[in-house]
Amino acid sequence: MKSFPERLPEALQRGLAPVYLVAGPERLLVEEACDAIREAARRAGVAERIRLSADGRFDWSELARATETGSLFASQRLVELRLPTGKPGAEGGKVLRGWIDEARDDILLVICDAWELNQEKAAWFKAIDGAGVYVPCWAVKPDRLPQWIDQRVRSRGLALDGEAARFLAARLEGNLLAAAQEVDRLALLFPGGTLNLETVQEAVADNARFDGFRLTDLVLGGQPGPALRCIRGLRETDAPPPAVLWALGRELEIAREVAHRSAHEPIGRVFNALRVWKARQGPIQACIRRQGPARLDRAIGTLARLDSISKGRAFGDFWVELERLCVSLAASPSRPGRAA
């Protein structure tokens, strides 16, 4: 059964399915859907959670071993299996089909970080779709973003007029994480209020200087000095590192893919395939011209290290290393930018 993210809470109220597949390119929708499933499982008394990640070296027998002994806490467990590539391969597909055929008591949540529409033709997908719930998390189309923002605002107890919703959609350019953060901030500033265009414009202007998406704009736009000052502002305001990294990582991942694919495809076709807004195409191309594919590959690796530092899994000063990365990305390699 297919259930889009906005309909998932209603489906969960009717009871838990034996298996869920949450997949798609929109990370915010993926994570919120997974959180909703976890919360529904907790309410149903599923107290134990098992997490597995099926990377290229994953031993698929681990999935069976993880649940072969009984739970200490409850009759059911939530088993989360993350597929970074979205493709389990022949062996993984067979194991997943076998899990479903065995009708286990535990609940399986499969999370795909990468997803394409043609993957819905795979036999393992059809098995999950037939036995459980498939939650596709596609990017919100530009013409539907104002409606998505309006629904999000209403869920927070606010009211927003049409002009204000369209203004936010234009400013945020399809970035759902930024939209969600902006809506949450407005809910804190104006609890239970009705917001018009002028109110929203003033609130956004107050927050524009030091937000993580402003940092991304400065890095892509080749402004190392302002980027450095923005990072210092983020640090002073205790901005959460994961949110900062998500905003920057999302754009750098796109820039890297465009850089590699445009070597053998027309860049306009690549942008269309990746659904990159026209307003973002210029800054992304400028970043590619400065850095090139190899440097962007290394930058993604540095972001992974920063993520580990932010989670306490690696040593280092998160903010200092973020400064180094952003200044190097914003500056031309032949003329290094100076901290301002």
Side-chain angles (χ1 to χ4, degrees):
M1 181 184 73
K2 180 184 292 186
S3 177
F4 289 100
E6 63 271 19
R7 298 292 185 185
L8 180 60
E10 180 182 343
L12 290 169
Q13 289 179 358
R14 295 194 292 267
L16 288 170
V19 58
Y20 291 89
L21 171 63
V22 180
E26 189 51 69
R27 191 177 305 181
L28 175 71
L29 298 183
V30 168
E31 293 306 322
E32 290 190 340
C34 291
D35 285 343
I37 293 167
R38 293 172 188 132
E39 177 58 31
R42 283 193 291 268
R43 290 197 305 266
V46 181
E48 188 174 347
R49 179 179 165 200
I50 298 172
R51 286 175 284 185
L52 301 170
S53 180
D55 57 19
R57 295 169 294 180
F58 183 68
D59 180 355
W60 279 93
S61 63
E62 289 185 30
L63 180 58
R65 287 199 301 269
T67 58
E68 63 187 7
T69 59
S71 171
L72 296 175
F73 306 103
S75 59
Q76 282 185 308
R77 288 163 293 194
L78 178 64
V79 181
E80 296 186 14
L81 177 68
R82 186 174 288 274
L83 293 175
T85 65
K87 298 176 181 179
E91 181 185 2
K94 181 179 179 181
V95 170
L96 289 171
R97 295 196 306 273
W99 173 290
I100 293 167
D101 290 341
E102 291 173 15
R104 293 169 176 258
D105 290 333
D106 296 315
I107 297 165
L108 179 63
L109 168 58
V110 181
I111 308 165
C112 292
D113 294 330
W115 193 250
E116 296 176 358
L117 193 60
N118 61 11
Q119 289 167 250
E120 295 182 6
K121 299 176 183 178
W124 69 271
F125 167 83
K126 293 178 180 178
I128 290 178
D129 190 41
V133 176
Y134 165 46
V135 186
C137 298
W138 302 111
V140 178
K141 293 181 179 179
D143 60 338
R144 293 193 54 83
L145 186 56
Q147 181 181 351
W148 186 90
I149 290 173
D150 181 68
Q151 291 174 344
R152 187 109 183 167
V153 165
R154 292 181 185 279
S155 74
R156 300 299 189 272
L158 298 174
L160 191 68
D161 68 24
E163 286 187 342
R166 286 189 290 274
F167 166 76
L168 282 176
R171 177 182 182 270
L172 298 167
E173 297 178 344
N175 193 321
L176 292 197
L177 180 60
Q181 291 176 331
E182 200 66 67
V183 168
D184 288 345
R185 196 174 69 88
L186 291 171
L188 289 173
L189 292 173
F190 310 101
T194 298
L195 309 181
N196 56 26
L197 176 61
E198 183 178 358
T199 301
V200 171
Q201 285 176 326
E202 290 177 358
V204 169
D206 288 342
N207 194 46
R209 186 180 178 193
F210 291 136
D211 67 21
F213 301 94
R214 173 64 174 162
L215 172 62
T216 302
D217 289 342
L218 295 170
V219 170
L220 294 180
Q223 302 183 62
L228 183 57
R229 291 192 291 272
C230 184
I231 291 170
R232 291 172 181 169
L234 287 163
R235 185 175 190 172
E236 290 169 1
T237 55
D238 295 323
V244 177
L245 290 180
W246 192 94
L248 184 60
R250 178 179 183 271
E251 294 296 299
L252 289 182
E253 287 279 8
I254 291 173
R256 179 176 67 168
E257 186 163 356
V258 171
H260 284 286
R261 289 178 56 175
S262 61
H264 51 83
E265 292 182 60
I267 196 167
R269 183 189 302 168
V270 176
F271 278 131
N272 287 337
L274 297 177
R275 296 182 180 179
V276 178
W277 289 57
K278 288 186 178 180
R280 309 302 303 161
Q281 294 178 12
I284 288 173
Q285 286 181 279
C287 182
I288 293 171
R289 287 193 294 268
R290 285 195 312 274
Q291 302 300 326
R295 289 192 179 94
L296 288 171
D297 287 341
R298 289 195 292 273
I300 297 299
T302 302
L303 280 175
R305 170 174 164 74
L306 284 167
D307 182 60
S308 294
I309 292 173
S310 73
K311 296 174 179 176
R313 298 173 183 166
F315 293 104
D317 187 313
F318 173 84
W319 294 105
V320 170
E321 295 200 24
L322 179 65
E323 288 179 359
R324 291 173 182 162
L325 172 65
C326 290
V327 170
S328 68
L329 285 170
S332 170
S334 60
R335 298 178 60 189
R338 297 192 175 188

